[in-house]
Amino acid sequence: MQKIWDEIAKEYSKRKFFGFDLFKEEKEKLPIFLENCKTILDAGCGTGRHLNFFEKLDKKVVGIDISKKMIKEARKKFRGYLAIGNILSLPFKDKAFDCAICLGNSLGSLLENWKDGLKELIRISKKKVIVEVRVSKESKIEKRFWNKKKFYLVKVWSLEEIEKELKKMKLRFKIEIGHKFKNYFFVYWIIDLKN
Ligand SMILES: C[S@@+](CC[C@H](N)C(=O)[O-])C[C@H]1O[C@@H](n2cnc3c(N)ncnc32)[C@H](O)[C@@H]1O
């Protein structure tokens, strides 16, 4: 695990769009993506900014994160079930949830292991997997500076790479554009698992 997540958890929880609040696109799109899902695993939930939003949509939600300190912050605002755990080996049975969701480029924290993480999300889901990742012109591992001294490493994807890799994994998916920043944007992968 990158130690940085524990180190910045407290500050992270105070920053808008990192620690609390949702982007306009999230508020609009997530309820639609999750329409037929009652039970949800928020994998890499961070400080838990999506958890109460899902509960208000009448979902049963569990948040899991590898960082103990992130979970401690999430606990301050969410009264439901939280766990400390790794996306790469989730402590749940096959098809335990209707949907696994992995937002804010948490999948990018797995760096080159992201496909193993995606396979775990698929394993524990019955209906859908929804992933939100950071997209750039080219795919790469990037240093994201939290402040002058602290950084974390994340994978960012090109749109071409997403299409190519998800097709290679023989997944049925669609891509939706999420929030846009100056130099990059987020996209959602909505992976349909039903036959
Ligand atoms: C950029 S934050 C996103 C948090 C949240 N999903 C959001 O949208 O605000 C990435 C989170 O992924 C967590 N994370 C990193 N590697 C992980 C892993 N292998 N398993 C579970 N969580 C992980 C970090 O601890 C951090 O809380």
Side-chain angles (χ1 to χ4, degrees):
M1 167 198 163
Q2 303 183 64
K3 277 200 304 206
I4 179 83
W5 299 116
D6 270 350
E7 288 171 16
I8 66 175
K10 211 170 184 143
E11 280 173 61
Y12 200 92
S13 70
K14 290 181 193 143
R15 285 210 193 163
K16 199 168 159 73
F17 305 124
F18 286 97
F20 67 96
D21 213 351
L22 275 65
F23 290 113
K24 185 169 131 289
E25 292 81 0
E26 294 185 287
K27 289 180 186 161
E28 289 166 2
K29 288 176 192 276
L30 293 176
I32 301 169
F33 297 161
L34 294 169
E35 232 157 33
N36 59 350
C37 298
K38 181 78 184 167
T39 54
I40 298 170
L41 178 72
D42 185 350
C45 65
T47 63
R49 69 192 173 100
H50 298 95
L51 301 172
N52 285 320
F53 179 75
F54 295 146
E55 273 209 339
K56 282 191 191 129
L57 295 174
D58 202 25
K59 312 291 182 192
K60 286 192 175 158
V61 56
V62 172
I64 191 164
D65 199 284
I66 200 165
S67 156
K68 204 172 158 185
K69 296 265 171 69
M70 285 283 185
I71 289 294
K72 194 173 167 196
E73 292 304 317
R75 174 51 73 219
K76 292 179 186 168
K77 50 172 134 34
F78 179 66
R79 296 169 67 92
Y81 192 81
L82 290 169
I84 297 164
N86 194 336
I87 295 173
L88 290 170
S89 57
L90 291 168
F92 304 106
K93 289 185 186 151
D94 294 1
K95 299 187 193 304
F97 296 86
D98 288 338
C99 174
I101 193 158
C102 186
L103 300 170
N105 205 26
S106 291
L107 196 72
S109 308
L110 304 182
L111 308 177
E112 46 287 308
N113 294 325
W114 69 271
K115 268 192 227 168
D116 293 329
L118 181 59
K119 284 180 195 159
E120 261 302 85
L121 298 176
I122 291 171
R123 180 186 67 76
I124 59 97
S125 305
K126 273 199 280 269
K127 296 181 178 173
K128 271 185 193 177
V129 171
I130 296 161
V131 176
E132 184 194 24
V133 300
R134 218 160 84 78
V135 165
S136 199
K137 278 193 194 121
E138 45 171 357
S139 57
K140 57 188 167 192
I141 303 287
E142 197 171 281
K143 264 185 182 176
R144 299 278 298 157
F145 280 88
W146 177 252
N147 58 28
K148 280 188 185 147
K149 288 187 189 148
K150 292 180 181 167
F151 66 85
Y152 48 87
L153 293 173
V154 280
K155 175 170 171 57
V156 297
W157 282 258
S158 67
L159 275 179
E160 295 73 28
E161 184 189 21
I162 297 170
E163 295 269 348
K164 193 176 110 199
E165 294 297 340
L166 297 191
K167 276 185 189 156
K168 230 197 269 175
M169 291 171 82
K170 299 196 186 327
L171 295 171
R172 267 185 299 142
F173 66 94
K174 60 180 187 180
I175 303 285
E176 285 226 15
I177 307 292
H179 187 73
K180 289 182 183 153
F181 292 88
K182 246 194 213 156
N183 303 325
Y184 66 92
F185 54 100
F186 282 104
V187 300
Y188 295 99
W189 313 347
I190 301 115
I191 299 171
D192 185 2
L193 303 176
K194 282 178 299 181
N195 297 320

